[in-house]
Amino acid sequence: MRKKIVAGNWKMNNNKQETAELIESLKLLSFSTDVRVMIAPAHTHLVQAEKLTQGATIEVLAQNMNAAESGAYTGEISARMLQSININKVILGHSERRAYYNETDSVLKKKVETALRHDMEVVFCFGEELEERKKECHFEVVRTQLETALFGLKPSRWSKIILAYEPVWAIGTGETASPEQAQEMHAFIRGLISLKYDQNLADSVPILYGGSVKPANASAIFSQPDVDGGLIGGSALNVEDFASIIQSV
Ligand code: 13P
């Protein structure tokens, strides 16, 4: 049985004070133990977030990290740095990183390998752009993204992988994939994993949906059999909305 996950990707939002306030408000809520709740604040606030969530059932993840162990990479953050502040989870492959910072699938393959070498958990994002969906090549795009970045992994490594299907056309646009579109893609992804590995592994991998998830549409999306929760952007910045989305899973 896969555990449900709702993760908030705060992106480049919230200063130190706002980060603390949002975490304190989240801590006042009570969540079912059947769901893993995660938040990804900015790098500058990870130390604080880790401290404030101690003893709470809120997990903290980083939004990105570099593939290299250390060295001359000005402005970058390594796995070792994250682990030294007790952050053992990271989002990799977000479409904004792909679009604005040239993160290709082969770059992401290296990042995933580094994270897993450090025994970190990875929320791996992928998904097609609007043009690709219009041309009906979205399945092929997703297949290539997964094959390049992840399908070289040994089966045992997959216990640390959480997939997040985020169609780019649905991110921050207010336009969501319909529950049927999400289910169709998630089932396709599970099928790919089953073909490459086996059905047991395919059944064990959590696959989250991300892209304009809101309190109003969360339960319809989350009720799909192959949707195991969500990666939430804008709605994760508002405590009532995020709480309502968590309760919908
Ligand atoms: P929105 O929920 O704001 O569309 O963002 C989704 C996302 O990019 C989460 O990583």
Side-chain angles (χ1 to χ4, degrees):
M1 182 63 179
R2 297 183 297 271
K3 197 156 179 169
K4 302 286 186 186
I5 300 170
V6 177
N9 175 10
W10 292 5
K11 309 191 181 184
M12 198 172 74
N13 293 295
N14 290 337
N15 66 14
K16 185 178 180 193
Q17 171 88 15
E18 290 155 350
T19 296
E21 283 169 9
L22 187 45
I23 292 174
E24 291 301 348
S25 309
L26 288 172
K27 279 164 63 177
L28 298 176
L29 306 169
S30 52
F31 309 121
S32 150
T33 49
D34 295 340
V35 51
R36 288 176 72 186
V37 175
M38 302 181 182
I39 54 169
H43 282 142
T44 41
H45 308 319
L46 287 173
V47 170
Q48 178 192 33
E50 196 276 327
K51 283 208 180 85
L52 291 176
T53 53
Q54 274 173 20
T57 51
I58 301 171
E59 304 174 45
V60 180
L61 61 159
Q63 295 178 20
N64 179 38
M65 59 166 237
N66 196 279
E69 289 296 330
S70 63
Y73 300 98
T74 302
E76 290 293 292
I77 304 276
S78 72
R80 202 167 149 261
M81 291 172 185
L82 291 173
Q83 291 197 297
S84 69
I85 54 166
N86 294 325
I87 302 296
N88 294 298
K89 304 177 184 79
V90 62
I91 297 174
L92 295 176
H94 194 280
S95 66
E96 289 146 18
R97 302 286 323 167
R98 293 173 186 262
Y100 308 140
Y101 305 99
N102 299 322
E103 295 198 3
T104 60
D105 289 316
S106 12
V107 169
L108 293 168
K109 177 180 195 290
K110 293 201 185 99
K111 289 194 175 201
V112 169
E113 285 166 358
T114 302
L116 296 179
R117 203 163 53 242
H118 284 266
D119 216 24
M120 293 176 77
E121 201 165 18
V122 173
V123 176
F124 185 78
C125 306
F126 56 95
E128 82 283 0
E129 294 183 15
L130 182 59
E131 279 311 304
E132 294 163 335
R133 181 156 282 258
K134 279 191 186 152
K135 285 194 214 139
E136 297 187 1
C137 59
H138 45 294
F139 291 116
E140 217 33 61
V141 168
V142 163
R143 180 207 300 272
T144 305
Q145 290 172 329
L146 294 179
E147 274 178 0
T148 312
L150 300 181
F151 281 9
L153 296 175
K154 290 196 190 107
S156 60
R157 294 293 204 187
W158 278 81
S159 61
K160 294 281 184 178
I161 301 282
I162 296 166
L163 297 178
Y165 168 58
E166 299 205 312
V168 180
W169 47 272
I171 297 178
T173 58
E175 191 170 341
T176 340
S178 67
E180 294 73 25
Q181 284 172 320
Q183 169 56 26
E184 185 185 35
M185 183 57 88
H186 286 219
F188 171 75
I189 294 161
R190 232 179 269 293
L192 288 179
I193 301 171
S194 163
L195 277 178
K196 170 68 192 171
Y197 297 91
D198 59 47
Q199 192 62 45
N200 274 349
L201 198 149
D203 286 339
S204 69
V205 179
I207 311 179
L208 314 184
Y209 169 81
S212 297
V213 176
K214 312 261 178 249
N217 59 26
S219 31
I221 296 171
F222 294 163
S223 64
Q224 299 299 312
D226 285 298
V227 178
D228 302 309
L231 183 56
I232 319 300
S235 297
L237 298 171
N238 175 289
V239 70
E240 286 84 21
D241 287 355
F242 194 53
S244 159
I245 291 170
I246 295 166
Q247 272 142 22
S248 307
V249 78

